[in-house]
Amino acid sequence: MSIFHRLRNPCSWRNGVKQIPLDAIIPIFAVPLLAIIASKTIYTTLIVFVTCPIVVYHLHHNFLRFLPRSKFFLMWTITSVLMLMLVFEFCVVPLLEILPEENLVFIICVFGAIICGYKTRINTDKNCGNQDSTGLFDVATGSEEASSRVYYCRICQTSILGREYHCKWLDCCIGSSNLQWYLTCCLLSAVAFIYGSNLTMTSVCHPFILVGTVLLPDDCSDVYHQFDLALCFVSSVYSLVIGIVVVGYLIYHSWLIFKGTTAHERRLNNSNTSSDNGVFNGLSQLVCCQS
């Protein structure tokens, strides 16, 4: 905490000095640096992709979770999206292996996901009700049925109607009023990440035709001979991993909607089930959300 107080940004023309949170600064330098290190050799790529989730988990478990509304994961999201977008537009597109229509589809998906993510955050306030940490809700503000589905978020320190979980990567709670924006953001993000990964890999690797005009990477053994190609390849792998995780959450939420429940209610109903709490809840808290 003493480091936090020492990191200040001079803004004397308005409010004197402004504190810069250290947890928000780390991803801005860490994400590009890790991408550069991973682009050196195949071994550094494997080391970074294996150790990075472990280090981030321990950083969150031992430090970040004690900070009120840490911006670490939100800044990691923003930095990752910007980095992948810049690498694609300034390193992959100049290779002249991508059609203008393909680049246009990619850009539309990226900006659509950004807009939906922004809408998810600003619509979080509409979820709020009059509830405290004891779980008491003022039914005067809504119907009895609605009040029975309001749950308190200790991170946002307010109650959320139809609460799913607190998404660390968007730094907001997912509830009934922003669930559609969140799912649309996930859908467009999954398309952008996976489609962009495929376009990048088939540009820097030797591709083969799967069917029609659909290409898949075949031989990527030469990418580490040039740094820019290696950086594109590492970015595509990173993008593919994120896309697969987002697809997993889309499938999970589709199943919850089919069951007519929420992630929070399912955790409450299965609080005594060791398999659910031990496997999915632990994984979900590591990858995306907090109960």
Side-chain angles (χ1 to χ4, degrees):
M1 296 304 296
S2 62
I3 298 178
F4 282 180
H5 291 293
R6 295 179 185 275
L7 289 175
R8 295 178 177 274
N9 180 29
C11 303
S12 56
W13 59 89
R14 282 193 176 182
N15 300 320
V17 294
K18 182 179 180 181
Q19 181 176 337
I20 302 177
L22 181 62
D23 55 319
I25 298 177
I26 293 176
I28 299 176
F29 298 98
V31 174
L33 180 61
L34 289 172
I36 293 174
I37 295 175
S39 303
K40 294 298 183 180
T41 64
I42 181 63
Y43 301 107
T44 57
T45 301
L46 293 174
I47 292 173
V48 168
F49 276 93
V50 171
T51 59
C52 186
I54 300 175
V55 173
V56 171
Y57 171 76
H58 283 284
L59 182 64
H60 171 258
H61 182 74
N62 297 318
F63 179 67
L64 295 176
R65 66 190 182 101
F66 299 109
L67 299 177
R69 297 303 296 268
S70 172
K71 301 297 183 182
F72 177 86
F73 293 98
L74 176 62
M75 292 306 301
W76 190 287
T77 301
I78 296 174
T79 306
S80 296
V81 171
L82 289 177
M83 184 193 72
L84 293 175
M85 185 74 175
L86 292 174
V87 169
F88 185 84
E89 294 298 330
F90 291 100
C91 294
V92 180
V93 173
L95 297 176
L96 302 179
E97 298 289 340
I98 297 176
L99 298 175
E101 307 85 62
E102 294 174 329
N103 189 24
L104 179 61
V105 172
F106 173 76
I107 293 175
I108 291 174
C109 290
V110 170
F111 281 96
I114 292 174
I115 293 173
C116 291
Y118 173 74
K119 288 288 187 179
T120 302
R121 284 180 53 82
I122 65 174
N123 282 313
T124 303
D125 295 336
K126 298 180 181 179
N127 287 319
C128 300
N130 297 327
Q131 184 185 21
D132 56 23
S133 58
T134 62
L136 300 177
F137 179 75
D138 184 7
V139 296
T141 61
S143 64
E144 182 178 354
E145 180 181 359
S147 64
S148 64
R149 305 196 71 179
V150 176
Y151 301 97
Y152 184 79
C153 175
R154 59 181 178 82
I155 301 175
C156 297
Q157 296 184 353
T158 187
S159 56
I160 305 297
L161 177 61
R163 182 178 185 268
E164 297 283 344
Y165 45 70
H166 185 93
C167 181
K168 296 184 294 188
W169 303 103
L170 294 178
D171 189 33
C172 67
C173 259
I174 307 302
S176 59
S177 68
N178 63 353
L179 179 60
Q180 292 181 345
W181 287 110
Y182 174 71
L183 293 180
T184 307
C185 175
C186 289
L187 177 61
L188 293 175
S189 298
V191 173
F193 283 125
I194 296 177
Y195 185 58
S197 175
N198 177 262
L199 291 177
T200 303
M201 284 190 179
T202 53
S203 297
V204 300
C205 302
H206 299 287
F208 72 93
I209 300 176
L210 179 64
V211 57
T213 59
V214 179
L215 301 178
L216 289 178
D218 184 18
D219 183 11
C220 299
S221 58
D222 298 334
V223 294
Y224 290 97
H225 293 169
Q226 292 182 237
F227 175 77
D228 56 339
L229 297 182
L231 181 62
C232 294
F233 176 74
V234 169
S235 299
S236 66
V237 175
Y238 181 42
S239 180
L240 180 61
V241 171
I242 298 175
I244 293 175
V245 172
V246 174
V247 168
Y249 269 89
L250 276 174
I251 296 174
Y252 176 63
H253 275 287
S254 300
W255 180 78
L256 290 175
I257 294 173
F258 175 76
K259 289 290 186 179
T261 184
T262 65
H264 187 82
E265 290 173 347
R266 185 170 183 270
R267 282 193 297 270
L268 293 178
N269 294 333
N270 295 282
S271 58
N272 296 325
T273 305
S274 59
S275 60
D276 179 79
N277 289 337
V279 179
F280 181 79
N281 281 355
L283 181 62
S284 63
Q285 290 189 21
L286 171 62
V287 175
C288 173
C289 52
Q290 292 174 279
S291 58

